């Protein structure tokens, strides 16, 4: 392969971020052409409102969840504004600062977007069944919120609930409910139904190139995959809540709209390419792969987000 100076620099940077070893080197050589061909579509602003100020979440635990699931999800929300200290870098809150910068780019000033959990609802009896459809979403949301339109409901479904369509699109979704156009988020546990689609990089993918998998940073494949999906949905609910905010111009299908997180799909660190997360860290005690420190001593693997100022995908590492 003949490369110019810029391409040689790119090769050097990506090679330095990869682990060493003959197997990894072979994988790198196999996938490198994909890396050069990979690009991110630009996300532009379309004039609509964004979610700003105080975002009060109602977490709806639909089905059977263990303590670790609930603790990790709640810690992730807390981490959006948590200062872990100078000795624990990078921090999840730095990632959220990039999301907050969308306000400035949209000409709406610059202020914190404070996210907190104000209510939690548990549905252990699967009152709306075990298949997520549009009717399911409406029923669960109305029952859980009681008509309160001042919160953003987040449906978190257990591993035995089928997420129709989500295994083949974004692994989570955000939308609007009712006349008030109340934003909502749905996140499923992909551990049973589609780990190969929605639990990478903790699980080998169903298709695509040979991949290097990571151990989940909190020791649970299901909830660590849910954090990634939740993070993506939260970013896109904030930056494109009513389908008139930030998204790619030539994407107009509701299930395929390229938004602030999906524009950077599969990227978790610098030097990423198809099948490789990019630069991440490994916890020496647990072996879990992570790129951000959060509250309660938790570590998280947070997906890249489109930076509206640099017009490129941004990662914590």
């Amino acid at each position: 392969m003949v490369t110019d100076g810029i391409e040689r620099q790119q090769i050097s940077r990506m090679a330095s971020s990869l682990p060493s070893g003959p197997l990894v080197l072979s994988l790198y050589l196999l996938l490198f052409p994909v890396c050069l061909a990979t690009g991110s579509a630009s996300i532009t602003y379309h004039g609509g409102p964004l979610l700003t100020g105080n975002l009060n979440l109602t977490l709806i635990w639909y089905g059977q969840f263990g303590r670790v699931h609930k603790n990790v999800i709640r810690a992730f929300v807390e981490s959006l504004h948590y200062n872990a200290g100078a000795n624990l870098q990078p921090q999840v809150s730095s990632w959220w600062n990039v999301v907050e910068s969308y306000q400035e780019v949209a000409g709406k000033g610059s202020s914190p977007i404070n996210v907190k959990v104000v209510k939690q609802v548990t549905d252990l009896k699967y009152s709306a069944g075990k298949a997520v459809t549009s009717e399911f979403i409406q029923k669960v949301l109305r029952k859980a919120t009681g008509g309160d339109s001042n919160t953003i409901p987040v449906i978190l479904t257990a591993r035995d609930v089928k997420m129709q369509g989500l295994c083949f699109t974004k692994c989570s979704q955000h939308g609007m409910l009712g006349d008030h156009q109340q934003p909502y988020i749905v996140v499923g546990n992909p551990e049973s139904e589609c780990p190969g689609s929605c639990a990478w990089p903790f699980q080998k993918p169903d298709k695509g190139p040979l991949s290097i998998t990571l151990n989940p940073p909190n020791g649970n494949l299901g909830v660590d995959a849910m954090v990634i999906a939740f993070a993506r949905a939260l970013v896109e609910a904030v930056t494109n809540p009513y389908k008139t905010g930030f998204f790619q111009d030539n994407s107009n299908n509701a299930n395929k709209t390229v938004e602030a997180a999906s524009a950077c799909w599969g990227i978790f660190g610098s030097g990423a390419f198809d099948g490789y997360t990019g630069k991440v860290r490994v916890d020496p005690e647990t072996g879990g792969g992570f790129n951000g420190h959060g509250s309660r001593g938790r570590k998280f693997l947070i997906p890249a987000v489109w930076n509206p100022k640099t017009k490129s995908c941004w990662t914590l590492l």
Side-chain angles (χ1 to χ4, degrees), residues 23-282:
L23 176 61
V24 174
L25 179 60
S26 299
L27 175 64
Y28 166 69
L29 294 173
L30 175 66
L31 296 178
F32 176 69
V34 178
C35 171
L36 291 182
T38 300
S40 297
S42 182
I43 303 300
T44 56
Y45 181 50
H46 295 78
L50 312 180
L51 297 185
T52 60
N54 296 323
L55 305 186
N56 297 325
L57 305 184
T58 294
L59 300 186
I60 305 166
W61 303 100
Y62 190 85
Q64 302 287 334
F65 282 95
R67 181 177 299 176
V68 64
H69 295 85
K70 294 184 177 181
N71 287 342
V72 169
I73 293 293
R74 289 189 294 246
F76 166 68
V77 175
E78 294 170 1
S79 300
L80 299 177
H81 310 288
Y82 180 76
N83 185 350
N87 293 327
L88 293 175
Q89 297 289 339
Q91 301 184 45
V92 174
S93 56
S94 297
W95 174 84
W96 190 245
N97 289 341
V98 175
V99 179
E100 293 174 329
S101 72
Y102 275 77
Q103 301 171 94
E104 185 178 350
V105 173
K108 300 182 182 297
S110 178
S111 60
I113 301 176
N114 301 308
V115 185
K116 64 179 180 179
V117 177
V118 298
K119 182 180 179 181
Q120 297 184 73
V121 177
T122 300
D123 188 337
L124 298 175
K125 296 183 178 180
Y126 304 91
S127 62
K130 289 189 175 183
V132 177
T133 62
S134 58
E135 293 78 12
F136 169 99
I137 293 172
Q138 293 179 30
K139 183 176 180 179
V140 172
L141 291 184
R142 290 196 175 103
K143 180 180 179 181
T145 63
D148 182 4
S149 60
N150 294 318
T151 68
I152 299 175
V154 180
I155 303 176
L156 301 137
T157 64
R159 61 184 295 175
D160 55 347
V161 177
K162 292 187 176 297
M163 299 286 288
Q164 293 184 5
L166 289 188
C167 286
F168 306 101
T169 52
K170 295 183 177 182
C171 305
S172 58
Q173 72 177 51
H174 71 95
M176 300 166 287
L177 176 69
D179 296 335
H180 296 287
Q181 292 191 314
Q182 181 178 14
Y184 69 83
I185 291 171
V186 182
V187 182
N189 183 339
E191 193 168 359
S192 294
E193 185 180 6
C194 51
S197 298
C198 293
W200 187 82
F202 311 124
Q203 172 77 25
K204 291 182 179 180
D206 292 333
K207 58 183 178 179
L210 181 64
S211 297
I212 300 173
T213 59
L214 304 173
N215 291 329
N218 294 286
N220 186 288
L221 181 148
V223 73
D224 280 308
M226 291 180 76
V227 167
I228 294 173
F230 183 18
R232 288 175 176 142
L234 183 60
V235 167
E236 296 180 346
V238 167
T239 59
N240 191 29
Y242 308 112
K243 312 303 181 185
T244 57
F246 284 88
F247 58 90
Q248 181 186 326
D249 285 330
N250 62 354
S251 63
N252 52 25
N253 185 295
N255 292 323
K256 296 182 179 179
T257 303
V258 177
E259 300 172 281
S262 54
C264 305
W265 191 267
I267 300 174
F268 295 89
S270 57
F273 54 83
D274 197 8
Y276 173 55
T277 60
K279 181 180 179 180
V280 299
R281 293 179 179 173
V282 176

